[in-house]
Amino acid sequence: GRWCGDCPKCRFAALSLALYLPPARVRQIMGRDLLDEPDQADGFRALCALGRDKPFECVGESGESRAAMRELASLREWSGHAVVKVLKPELDGVQIPAMKQLLEPSGRHFIPTHLAAAIGLSGEAP
């Protein structure tokens, strides 16, 4: 397997994939369903900075993880998964950016000019 299933990068990948794919497809890609393994809760809790320090690994920001977890909690196919159920109440009362805001391209980006033009994205590259 390509995925160890027990590190911040694997957890963030599973969380990100889950936003767009059904559980069976995420399980197929990852080799298991990390979001339905109760022992993974502390690792996902750390990604969301819920009483734990966010890992230093190259993963998304805690706000992005919180927004993703809240979104999963609202989706019927993911809301019953062990980790999602455990973390849902912990998200109450913490700052969570709006998913729509996170998905909007900003004016400044690191997309090469020729690719940005091809997708109709304006703004400045460094």
Side-chain angles (χ1 to χ4, degrees), residues 42-114:
D42 276 341
F44 281 99
R45 192 174 279 119
L47 285 180
C48 296
L50 296 171
R52 306 279 190 291
D53 291 333
K54 186 195 155 296
F56 287 113
E57 283 84 354
C58 295
V59 295
E61 297 175 1
S62 59
E64 294 169 328
S65 295
R66 288 174 177 181
M69 192 63 72
R70 179 177 61 189
E71 182 70 19
L72 294 185
S74 74
L75 299 174
R76 183 184 52 78
E77 62 190 352
W78 287 105
S79 63
H81 283 63
V83 172
V84 178
K85 283 181 2 183
V86 153
L87 295 187
K88 181 181 178 183
E90 295 180 38
L91 294 170
D92 294 338
V94 297
Q95 186 175 2
I96 303 174
M99 184 63 73
K100 182 178 179 178
Q101 175 188 352
L102 292 173
L103 296 175
E104 286 291 319
S106 68
R108 186 154 198 260
H109 55 76
F110 296 93
I111 301 172
T113 306
H114 70 283

Side-chain angles (χ1 to χ4, degrees), residues 2-50:
R2 296 177 179 208
W3 304 96
C4 75
D6 195 28
C7 73
K9 287 184 181 186
C10 285
R11 290 183 193 102
F12 189 74
L15 186 57
S16 299
L17 290 169
L19 288 171
Y20 301 99
L21 300 172
R25 182 67 178 124
V26 175
R27 189 172 33 261
Q28 181 183 28
I29 292 168
M30 302 294 301
R32 54 201 267 200
D33 189 343
L34 302 181
L35 289 158
D36 206 24
E37 296 178 7
D39 291 348
Q40 296 280 354
D42 276 341
F44 281 99
R45 192 174 279 119
L47 285 180
C48 296
L50 296 171

